[in-house]
Amino acid sequence: MSITWKLIPFGPTLMKKMYQETTTRLLSSSSSNHHPPEPRVYVRKKRVKKNLEISAEEEEKLQPQQPIRHQKISGLPDIEDFEYKKTSKISELHPTTPYIPVTTTHHRSVKRASNFAKPPGNWAKVLEGIRKMRSFEDAPVDSMGCEKAGSSLPPKERRFAVLISALLSSQTKDHVNHGAIQRLLENNLLTADALEKANEDTIKSMIYPVGFYTRKASNMKKVANICLSKYDGDIPSTLEDLLQLPGIGPKMAHLVMNVGWNNVQGICVDTHVHRICNRLGWVSRKGTNQKTKSPEETRESLERWLPKEEWVPINPLLVGFGQTICTPLRPQCGRCSIVDLCPSAYKEAASPKSTAKKSQKRNNLS
DNA sequence: TTCCAGTGTC
DNA sequence: GACACCGGAA
């Protein structure tokens, strides 16, 4: 079988495209337990408006295609006091996104479900500021690209390739992964069948020098085995099942759900998203004002308020920002255009705690 | 020498 | 929460 693999550079242009695709996808889907209320409010609003402009007869005809209209979704209360006349403004801050629920009208007219949190003030302004900074400067995430499998692959093979790519790319520089994936592909080792049969040392040599290649080679074989025996060579289609695979944690599981199945189940939170959201004061431990302790906690906190159309693009946006300006050590607040909106601006310690701790440990040992 | 970065294990 | 896993860049 001849398959081609292509890595797509992930830059501002692709990000724009992803915005549009994600938005289209979200508007056309109505299933998820994690929707913050805003996008759905817009859907209802749009339908109401549309229906007013057409005749009753036409509306009757449209009924079967309008499943969202009277649907109560995932605990969002029915909107009794909803006023469609106060039409939502299309945000000037988001030229690439058809709708962003930033107007106060939404908040006043909608009863919020208790498990949704109030968005932090200025979040849209902050995101737009970061987006602007990102458009001026390339970050490693832009040129290296995340694992976007070639569109010419059949769906099942493509999904498996996405899974393996995710497995390899965690904890590693992306250009290294690129090489590893290419070698696997050239040797026809990018299917569950081939991987399961392949020698572990062969796999090891193919993926070297990807980070933690020994463990990953062993995980790849295990994953291939599970995919073959339980999923007929395909990959698991739910978050829970993906998490059962060795070497697949929350971050990669969300990524695979999104890229592999085109199904946004949650925000892909890595160390950059985790760090920056905490610096911005966007997330907190449930019921407190304390910072979140883990990326998982950050994901849950963020999902309580961030509109779903931002769930996908926020990762490349913040990763790039975190690689260039809002770095873990010595963040470059002097170069940041949103310092006025950032509660942590210029507040990070000059010498990181971890280093101090390690030095102390070394001194104690010697 | 330190740091990167997500997962797994204790 | 601490630490191991990896090679390589800074």
Side-chain angles (χ1 to χ4, degrees):
Chain A
M1 182 186 59
S2 158
I3 45 180
T4 57
W5 176 269
K6 203 168 79 184
L7 285 184
I8 301 171
F10 191 82
T13 313
L14 189 64
M15 212 184 303
K16 254 186 201 173
K17 203 173 149 232
M18 256 174 107
Y19 259 112
Q20 284 155 354
E21 283 172 0
T22 313
T23 307
T24 315
R25 203 194 313 155
L26 288 169
L27 275 175
S28 63
S29 105
S30 63
S31 64
S32 170
N33 291 327
H34 292 287
H35 283 281
E38 290 88 347
R40 266 174 282 139
V41 170
Y42 177 82
V43 169
R44 288 168 190 241
K45 186 181 287 186
K46 200 177 173 195
R47 294 280 154 75
V48 171
K49 234 179 131 181
K50 192 176 176 187
N51 288 346
L52 285 180
E53 290 163 4
I54 60 175
S55 70
E57 196 183 345
E58 279 171 313
E59 192 188 358
E60 194 66 32
K61 273 189 218 158
L62 279 173
Q63 283 293 351
Q65 284 93 46
Q66 306 254 340
I68 298 167
R69 194 162 171 254
H70 300 297
Q71 199 179 342
K72 185 178 170 180
I73 313 160
S74 63
L76 182 69
D78 280 332
I79 305 164
E80 300 293 338
D81 55 348
F82 184 67
E83 293 178 47
Y84 77 90
K85 278 178 191 167
K86 295 182 179 175
T87 46
S88 167
K89 274 194 282 184
I90 293 172
S91 170
E92 290 159 13
L93 296 173
H94 293 262
T96 57
T97 315
Y99 68 94
I100 285 287
V102 288
T103 59
T104 49
T105 316
H106 280 176
H107 304 316
R108 271 188 258 116
S109 62
V110 173
K111 293 172 193 156
R112 287 178 167 278
S114 59
N115 57 329
F116 294 121
K118 190 171 173 283
N122 288 331
W123 70 268
K125 228 174 167 178
V126 169
L127 268 193
E128 180 53 24
I130 296 174
R131 211 166 274 141
K132 273 208 180 116
M133 281 185 270
R134 293 277 282 107
S135 67
F136 293 139
E137 185 178 358
D138 271 349
V141 68
D142 295 328
S143 55
M144 303 310 177
C146 58
E147 44 300 296
K148 288 266 169 191
S151 51
S152 51
L153 248 61
K156 197 161 135 181
E157 279 74 10
R158 190 190 68 89
R159 283 194 291 271
F160 191 78
V162 166
L163 179 67
I164 292 301
S165 186
L167 193 83
L168 286 179
S169 75
S170 85
Q171 314 126 288
T172 306
K173 302 275 181 286
D174 286 304
H175 65 280
V176 178
N177 294 323
H178 189 165
I181 288 287
Q182 288 294 349
R183 283 190 295 278
L184 284 172
L185 188 70
E186 283 158 16
N187 289 277
N188 291 320
L189 278 177
L190 217 49
T191 63
D193 210 33
L195 261 187
E196 208 266 340
K197 283 179 192 138
N199 184 299
E200 197 168 311
D201 286 335
T202 314
I203 302 176
K204 232 196 253 185
S205 65
M206 292 285 158
I207 63 175
Y208 180 90
V210 154
F212 317 124
Y213 61 92
T214 311
R215 184 175 288 171
K216 279 179 186 172
S218 135
N219 282 344
M220 277 163 74
K221 275 205 72 125
K222 287 180 198 160
V223 163
N225 191 287
I226 295 170
C227 286
L228 270 182
S229 60
K230 286 177 81 175
Y231 305 97
D232 192 29
D234 206 335
I235 68 170
S237 62
T238 66
L239 205 64
E240 291 72 25
D241 292 340
L242 279 169
L243 286 168
Q244 301 297 313
L245 303 175
I248 297 290
K251 194 217 155 174
M252 291 309 167
H254 280 106
L255 188 73
V256 172
M257 279 309 284
N258 175 24
V259 179
W261 292 104
N262 218 19
N263 180 349
V264 183
Q265 287 289 308
I267 301 170
C268 190
V269 173
D270 58 21
T271 178
H272 297 287
V273 177
H274 174 57
R275 178 182 71 253
I276 295 168
C277 286
N278 273 295
R279 280 182 181 164
L280 288 169
W282 277 6
V283 290
S284 58
R285 309 200 78 178
K286 215 170 182 182
T288 73
N289 284 327
Q290 297 169 329
K291 290 183 170 185
T292 56
K293 300 250 180 184
S294 65
E296 265 300 270
E297 221 172 9
T298 298
R299 183 182 59 75
E300 284 168 28
S301 182
L302 199 57
E303 283 174 7
R304 270 179 230 132
W305 66 265
L306 187 72
K308 206 169 176 184
E309 68 272 16
E310 301 287 355
W311 285 19
V312 172
I314 194 158
N315 180 278
L317 190 66
L318 294 193
V319 170
F321 182 52
Q323 286 169 333
T324 53
I325 294 173
C326 201
T327 47
L329 291 174
R330 293 175 285 277
Q332 304 184 36
C333 301
R335 291 176 56 215
C336 179
S337 70
I338 53 158
V339 274
D340 295 344
L341 303 169
C342 177
S344 307
Y346 299 108
K347 283 186 183 163
E348 294 274 329
S351 80
K353 271 184 202 165
S354 60
T355 309
K357 259 189 202 165
K358 277 175 193 166
S359 308
Q360 199 184 357
K361 208 174 169 182
R362 260 203 315 278
N363 292 339
N364 290 344
L365 284 172
S366 62

